[in-house]
Amino acid sequence: RTRDEIQENGINVVAQHHVSSVLPERRQAVAVDVGGHSRSFSYDKLVIATGGKSMVPDIPGLDLPGVFFLRWMNDGFAFQEYHLAHRPTSIVIIGGGYIGLEMADAMVRRGLSVSVVEYLPSLLTTFDQAFGRIVHAELEKQGVRVFTGFRVERIESRGAILSVCSAASAVEADMVLVAIGSQPESGLAPSAGIATGVRGAICVNRRMETSLPNVFAAGDCAETYHRLLNKNTYLPLGTTAHKQGRIAGENAVGGKREYTGTLGTQSVKIFNLVAARTGLKDDEALKEGFFPLSVDTDAWDHKSYYPHAKKLKIRITGDKLTGRLLGMQIIGAYGTEISKRIDTVAAAIHSGMTVEALNDLDLSYTPPLSSPWDPVQMAAQSWHQAIRRVT
């Protein structure tokens, strides 16, 4: 929405001001404009929605020309301007998560030679390593050089060339993008006496209320209630931020809504692959006191006799004691409805369903799009065959 559209709804937009402190005893937020002048804003209710910020590794060379982060609009503009002005032919991306891999895709499409360096043993570490290996192979198929287990110690420059260095080796390029994750932008909270918790995020209850009366927080700066774990965690996702913001706003004007919780549902497209997940992986479930069993299934995205059918890899996780559905991971070709299939599973977990209950869902079928048993139901049936063997 444009600024005019927002203001037509009665919202006063005050741009180019940075809130430097909150004074709860006065019910005021103090902001500083670009000229350094202070201005106070009085409030009856306050919503803090300051978002997240890029994680910054403690390594030399981050301030070198050609080294970028990618969190805010200004980051994107700076990256684009440098690209247009210097016409680089190569880039090193530090970080093998969502942003790093999406940017690898984008830079290959721009004609750059791309290298991805990742500290951990596999890429896309919110998924199990078997899924990360599939992504790794897809990147290499597209010409991306991938270095896992690569601990970056410094970035050096040699003329126009940048070197991303570990203790044993270096990867050179014309540009470097650092994308190792995000953390809450919660610096306002301690100065105002607002409690922080998981990873320094602002503590909130399910009404999005902070520890201070009349002050709410929502989005990437705040904790997130996890529906399966029944406790707060930190999961900075756009879908979560939208839901939390709606609830904080409604309650700030007298509503009585509660956030019903996240499952960490997410999807990503990387070249010709889509990966999606929801709920808990096996190791996450075990850590939280469940008794998980995870089972792999390969299934066609639609009837194999119909043209262009493609295989999906599905890993379903359920609790061995209760049969409760805990999570699912899916990877396969773009166009195989992976994100919508993971949404079906997210809805089932949200509703507290068992693995077996997935088979009772009345899911659509037509040969070009699915099978009489949808792939997520085939995965549920594979899980039940496995559970009978181990119990």
Side-chain angles (χ1 to χ4, degrees), residues 23 49 78 158 223 304:
L23 307 175
R158 180 171 49 82
E223 291 181 336
S304 58

Side-chain angles (χ1 to χ4, degrees), residues 1-13 253:
R1 291 180 293 174
T2 66
R3 180 171 177 168
D4 288 343
E5 287 172 333
I6 293 171
Q7 295 196 148
E8 284 172 5
N9 285 295
I11 300 169
N12 183 29
V13 178
V253 294

